């Protein structure tokens, strides 16, 4: 991942710099590089808090202005450097993809399955991104969600007793969510590959039936996060 986190340093010095945004540095360090992965972290709190979301900018995919400037810059400089770029979203609540925090703290009704409002924000953002970069020639793929944990287990309200999986552990709900997301993006872009990992962060024993999605373009990339070790 090669980009720059825009969140200001937190009370403990967290946030701030995140690698660099100079293609010449990347090519000097990694001369065989041909792809940059741009991760847009939608983190509402904690160590990885970011300020990408702006509720007043629906027409701009709810993306804050300075983040959008950075995104445009990343797409432009990778093209100038002869590199591909992939764009992904990661959300501590929507796809239960925390960084430095536990999934245990994410209420089941806060994710994109349980929260229809948040889900529509997600869809709007992806439609906007796909339309904005429709003429870019170096988009390798769009990754709908990085490292989702949508069927994570949570403790009972009492705090003691058996933990249960969100949404009753029903994998078909996760499949349906990602199928909807694929169709949403395809409504504005029929050809750019889409990377998906519906069933989550750890794929053991491997990709299964619940991961299979339908895409008329045939341009799906299945991402395996931490395959069996």
């Amino acid at each position: 991942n090669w980009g720059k986190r825009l969140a200001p340093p937190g009370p403990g010095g967290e946030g701030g710099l995140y690698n660099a945004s100079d293609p010449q540095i990347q090519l000097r360090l990694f001369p065989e590089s041909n792809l940059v992965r741009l991760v847009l972290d939608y983190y509402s709190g904690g160590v990885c808090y970011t300020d990408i979301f702006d509720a007043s900018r629906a027409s701009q995919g709810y993306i804050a202005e300075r983040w959008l400037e950075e995104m445009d810059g990343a797409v432009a400089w990778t093209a100038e450097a002869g590199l591909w770029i992939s764009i992904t979203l990661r959300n501590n609540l929507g796809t239960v993809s925390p960084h430095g925090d536990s999934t245990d703290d994410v209420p089941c009704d806060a994710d994109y399955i349980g929260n229809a409002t948040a889900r529509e924000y997600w869809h709007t953002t992806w439609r906007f991104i796909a339309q904005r970069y429709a003429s870019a020639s170096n988009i390798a793929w769009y990754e709908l969600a990085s490292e989702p944990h949508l069927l994570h287990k949570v403790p009972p309200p009492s705090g003691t007793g058996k933990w249960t999986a969100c949404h009753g552990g029903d994998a078909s709900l996760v499949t349906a969510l990602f199928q909807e997301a694929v169709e949403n993006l395809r409504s504005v872009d029929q050809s750019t590959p889409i990377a998906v990992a519906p069933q989550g962060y750890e794929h053991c024993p491997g990709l299964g039936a619940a991961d299979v999605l339908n895409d008329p373009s045939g341009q799906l990339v299945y991402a395996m996060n931490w395959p069996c070790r």
Side-chain angles (χ1 to χ4, degrees), residues 10-55:
E14 309 94 345
L17 294 179
Y18 181 60
N19 293 335
S21 59
D22 187 334
Q24 301 309 318
I25 294 176
Q26 176 177 348
L27 291 175
R28 183 170 297 179
L29 292 174
F30 309 105
E32 301 303 317
S33 295
N34 67 354
L35 177 91
V36 170
R37 182 173 181 251
L38 178 63
V39 182
L40 308 177
D41 286 340
Y42 276 74
Y43 282 4
S44 57
V47 171
C48 293
Y49 166 77
T50 53
D51 57 356
I52 183 172
F53 180 77
D54 186 336

Side-chain angles (χ1 to χ4, degrees), residues 177-201:
L177 174 70
F178 278 88
Q179 182 63 51
E180 181 181 313
V182 167
E183 293 171 5
N184 171 69
L185 199 153
R186 283 286 175 250
S187 71
V188 296
D189 181 331
Q190 290 76 51
S191 59
T192 302
I194 300 174
V196 290
Q199 295 306 311
Y201 188 58

